[in-house]
Amino acid sequence: MKKPVGEQELLVLRYVAEHGPATVGEVAERFGEAQGLARSTILTVMERLRLKGYLTRRKVEGVFQYASPVPAAELLRDVVGDFVQRSLSGSVSPFAAYLSEAEDVSDEELAQLQDVVARLRSQKRKG
């Protein structure tokens, strides 16, 4: 199991997963500036993510490019799974309770949730 990521790490990781491969300079300019993060902070965060196994890097024309080894959707699924295990002791009940009161769930997200419930019911019947 990989080491957990912090909030700032997750934001940078998500950006790189969706826009990578990218250099530290590109992430600092396109993402970090808007967040008020200095290039040195972006470098530190990206290196921490690399050491934790969330990012890879390779040298291209003398500059390191960082990338997520997995697609953004898979990455977020793994991060959410880690959160459920660490913070909710493996129970999705608190998450379900949160969703039941969420007011900003889009129609698309609602349809995705309905698909998940249908898939889980189907798997339960088979098992």
Side-chain angles (χ1 to χ4, degrees):
M1 178 179 253
K2 292 180 183 174
K3 291 184 178 182
V5 295
E7 186 176 338
Q8 191 174 67
E9 289 175 326
L10 180 57
L11 293 172
V12 171
L13 180 56
R14 188 172 182 183
Y15 180 85
V16 174
E18 292 172 353
H19 301 92
T23 67
V24 170
E26 290 168 342
V27 175
E29 181 182 321
R30 298 178 190 157
F31 171 78
E33 286 180 13
Q35 303 292 321
L37 301 173
R39 185 186 187 286
S40 59
T41 302
I42 295 293
L43 171 62
T44 300
V45 170
M46 289 174 72
E47 271 301 297
R48 270 197 316 242
L49 289 167
R50 184 181 70 83
L51 293 172
K52 289 180 179 184
Y54 288 99
L55 291 179
T56 59
R57 78 174 186 193
R58 67 185 184 102
K59 210 169 221 178
V60 178
E61 298 178 13
V63 180
F64 284 118
Q65 285 190 338
Y66 292 77
S68 172
V70 297
E74 185 177 330
L75 171 78
L76 290 176
R77 185 188 69 226
D78 292 347
V79 170
V80 169
D82 179 59
F83 170 79
V84 168
Q85 290 304 316
R86 272 188 315 117
S87 301
L88 305 179
S89 301
S91 173
V92 295
S93 295
F95 188 62
Y98 165 79
L99 286 175
S100 72
E101 296 181 14
E103 296 178 10
D104 57 350
V105 177
S106 70
D107 289 342
E108 181 182 337
E109 290 169 324
L110 186 58
Q112 289 174 337
L113 288 169
Q114 289 170 326
D115 289 345
V116 167
V117 169
R119 212 170 33 251
L120 289 171
R121 283 192 174 134
S122 174
Q123 289 172 355
K124 201 162 183 106
R125 283 188 210 115
K126 291 177 185 175

